[in-house]
Amino acid sequence: MVVAEVVPIGQPRRGVAHLDAALGAHDAPQLLVPVTYGHVWTWRDTAYYAAAGMTLVPLRLVIMLITAILLFIMACLTTLGLSDEAAQLPFSPPRRVLRAVACSCLRLALFGLGLPWITERGTMPPRNEAPIIVSNHFGLVESIYLAMRFGCSFVAEEVYLRDPFFGRLARMLQVVLLNRADPESRAKVKAAIAARALAPDAYARLVIYPEGTVSNGRGLLAFRPGAFSPGVPVVPVTFSFPRRGQGRCAVGVDPSWVYGNVSPPVINLMMMAQPWNSLEVHVLPACAPGGDEVADPVLFASRVQAAMAADLGVPATGFSGDDVALQREAMRLGLPPHVAPVQMLHLSARLRIDRGLAMRALREFAALGPDPVSGHAATDVWLQRLVVGAGGGGGGGGGGGEAAGKDEARALRADMARIVAAVDHEESGLVSFREYLVTSCLIGALSHDDGAGGAGGAGAGGAEASNSNMGAAARTPRTSRRSGEGSLPFYGADAAPAFVFTSLVGGGAAARATRKAVVDLVAPG
């Protein structure tokens, strides 16, 4: 039975606390849900936003409409007579002037979003000294500010070109276009970034969001190396919203476009409804690659990430785009959006699991029937599935007879119970997806890598005699955990409802040794 939730929504549990230091994931905040996540809307909130919707919002919508008209006219004039290909070449001086005038109009857009003043610190170096800006990313505001303040260009998807308004803006800003459907697009974008970085003053300064997606600002997601591959100095710029979620009269607004937040248009309307919003921008000193960082952009990215995290006073985490993909799948499965982010960068580096396998694990976790609010599953349900999945292993204990088979089954059930109890050391009766995934990965890694394959075969034979699904799972050939295909290293086939650890099922010294190693690792002491 699921007991009452004892952990605030969106906060990490500590069920695998003794493993977190080794995984580099201790005390990481939840970055992929808004700071207002879990807020209960009250009548005061309704009253305030109703009043603001009749006063502040209409006035600011007029400002935004005027800004959009001005931008569209200036974008048309700037790109007049240019094809899509020609618009990617360096602009002539008159077109640069028109673009600068258009970018200055964006100050009206920030005013319309409730940002009448912005706190700025630091000085931007000349473009020929540091041609790339890297920044943390919440949503729309950062791009508007950087285009307005420094006339920057960006990297964006080709889909924006299909929109009459945003397509014109993209051409005017000479956006580097990415086509996710084209397997060669990333290489082309990388080449375009390098070409612009090495072309002195031919293009506007390029802005890249190295996190690759948006976050709520409580930490920094893992940086992708693309912005650091050219080996040129970069300028870190940090954004923060000091009063996010702290409304002056009602619930505040979190401007981050993360899952679990309201839609981007509603975010913009809520920003317009605030008397004012707070934004702080800090331009850090330029960072140049040194030593091994020139040849290894990952090292360069890590150093810049650490500098930006220190400036913001937040941790640098292992959350990445894989966590966003897991979050999207979790919401499709009806799970709350805070369940799926597990810092895949750290897990994949240490437990050798990729996005495809984590997706399958998430679907199996959803089958446990997690609570729709907390997203945690009951440990007794998990244990029941484990025991059911392993129960057929005793019958084929290497020909040792029925008594020996029952002894093996009892020992296996006891080991699985110890593993589950170790994960749930808080005795809450709950298991999170991350706890579930980490524990299952450890079991799979031991059973696959520590020479227990023979035990798996013996156990699978016994399972086949009493459970056709388990037998089918055992016969499924294993594949590399990097491939994202085939069966999970710790599950059977997708159709098997039981959680089948084939290398832990059955008799023999190898299976017992593997189970003991798992118990010792998950439940030390």
Side-chain angles (χ1 to χ4, degrees):
M1 181 178 67
V2 180
V3 301
E5 175 56 40
V6 295
V7 179
I9 293 176
Q11 297 300 311
R13 277 169 49 85
R14 307 290 293 153
V16 288
H18 55 282
L19 300 173
D20 283 341
L23 294 173
H26 43 286
D27 291 330
Q30 176 57 268
L31 304 185
L32 300 176
V33 295
V35 298
T36 53
Y37 188 64
H39 172 81
V40 179
W41 197 270
T42 67
W43 68 269
R44 292 184 180 86
D45 303 326
T46 302
Y48 173 77
Y49 280 106
M54 294 183 290
T55 53
L56 286 174
V57 174
L59 293 174
R60 287 172 172 170
L61 280 175
V62 171
I63 294 174
M64 297 296 283
L65 179 61
I66 294 173
T67 305
I69 293 173
L70 291 174
L71 282 175
F72 186 74
I73 293 173
M74 297 303 299
C76 290
L77 292 175
T78 303
T79 59
L80 184 65
L82 295 180
S83 64
D84 290 345
E85 293 76 14
Q88 292 295 314
L89 300 175
F91 280 173
S92 63
R95 294 185 190 274
R96 293 188 189 184
V97 172
L98 289 172
R99 180 176 60 191
V101 173
C103 288
S104 65
C105 294
L106 289 169
R107 187 64 186 91
L108 288 174
L110 293 174
F111 188 84
L113 289 172
L115 292 164
W117 55 82
I118 298 171
T119 303
E120 299 177 342
R121 295 182 295 146
T123 303
M124 182 64 66
R127 183 202 178 283
N128 56 7
E129 294 181 8
I132 295 178
I133 292 176
V134 293
S135 169
N136 58 324
H137 195 20
F138 290 90
L140 180 66
V141 172
E142 310 87 71
S143 298
I144 295 178
Y145 174 87
L146 291 170
M148 177 274 298
R149 189 70 174 81
F150 306 112
C152 297
S153 182
F154 301 87
V155 178
E157 294 188 52
E158 275 189 7
V159 66
Y160 289 108
L161 286 181
R162 303 171 191 167
D163 184 273
F165 178 74
F166 290 105
R168 282 290 180 182
L169 291 185
R171 292 183 182 90
M172 179 187 70
L173 295 174
Q174 295 188 298
V175 169
V176 177
L177 299 173
L178 171 66
N179 183 359
R180 298 187 186 276
D182 182 3
E184 299 180 357
S185 181
R186 292 189 181 276
K188 295 177 182 178
V189 169
K190 184 177 179 180
I193 292 173
R196 294 198 183 190
L198 300 175
D201 298 325
Y203 292 94
R205 198 187 302 262
L206 187 63
V207 174
I208 299 176
Y209 300 114
E211 294 172 289
T213 186
V214 295
S215 75
N216 65 15
R218 287 174 169 165
L220 289 180
L221 279 70
F223 278 14
R224 297 181 180 182
F228 310 92
S229 296
V232 299
V234 301
V235 183
V237 178
T238 59
F239 289 83
S240 60
F241 295 84
R243 290 186 60 86
R244 275 183 311 141
Q246 303 173 24
R248 291 157 183 83
C249 304
V251 59
V253 57
D254 184 342
S256 58
W257 290 13
V258 293
Y259 288 112
N261 206 350
V262 293
S263 64
V266 176
I267 291 175
N268 295 336
L269 289 173
M270 291 181 70
M271 291 186 70
M272 295 179 195
Q274 300 295 319
W276 69 88
N277 297 290
S278 302
L279 173 63
E280 294 183 359
V281 184
H282 187 194
V283 179
L284 278 66
C287 295
D292 295 338
E293 292 176 344
V294 176
D296 189 352
V298 175
L299 287 178
F300 188 20
S302 298
R303 179 164 67 88
V304 175
Q305 182 196 30
M308 293 176 64
D311 178 72
L312 291 166
V314 299
T317 73
F319 291 105
S320 66
D322 287 340
D323 292 284
V324 178
L326 284 171
Q327 192 178 44
R328 187 183 304 115
E329 177 67 10
M331 296 181 70
R332 188 190 69 80
L333 293 170
L335 301 175
H338 70 269
V339 168
V342 291
Q343 299 198 74
M344 276 292 293
L345 184 71
H346 288 147
L347 295 186
S348 62
R350 292 162 175 81
L351 299 179
R352 295 184 297 170
I353 181 170
D354 65 3
R355 180 191 296 188
L357 297 179
M359 286 280 193
R360 298 184 184 197
L362 181 63
R363 289 191 285 270
E364 295 284 359
F365 180 77
L368 293 178
D371 182 82
V373 176
S374 71
H376 295 153
T379 54
D380 57 354
V381 176
W382 184 23
L383 179 59
Q384 182 181 8
R385 293 291 185 93
L386 287 171
V387 172
V388 169
E402 184 176 352
K406 291 182 179 179
D407 290 340
E408 291 290 348
R410 281 194 295 269
L412 181 57
R413 292 188 187 98
D415 288 343
M416 294 301 182
R418 287 188 61 192
I419 292 172
V420 171
V423 173
D424 185 31
H425 75 288
E426 298 163 337
E427 298 183 355
S428 65
L430 302 172
V431 59
S432 70
F433 173 61
R434 182 176 177 277
E435 295 165 341
Y436 172 84
L437 179 62
V438 168
T439 306
S440 299
C441 283
L442 290 170
I443 293 173
L446 284 169
S447 64
H448 184 70
D449 296 333
D450 291 353
E464 186 176 2
S466 61
N467 188 318
S468 59
N469 279 336
M470 291 179 62
R475 291 192 301 270
T476 302
R478 293 185 179 273
T479 60
S480 169
R481 283 192 281 273
R482 290 288 183 186
S483 68
E485 300 176 355
S487 63
L488 289 168
F490 43 88
Y491 296 146
D494 291 340
F499 298 85
V500 186
F501 306 113
T502 56
S503 296
L504 301 176
V505 176
R512 287 193 296 271
T514 300
R515 295 199 298 270
K516 182 179 184 302
V518 171
V519 171
D520 290 344
L521 182 59
V522 179

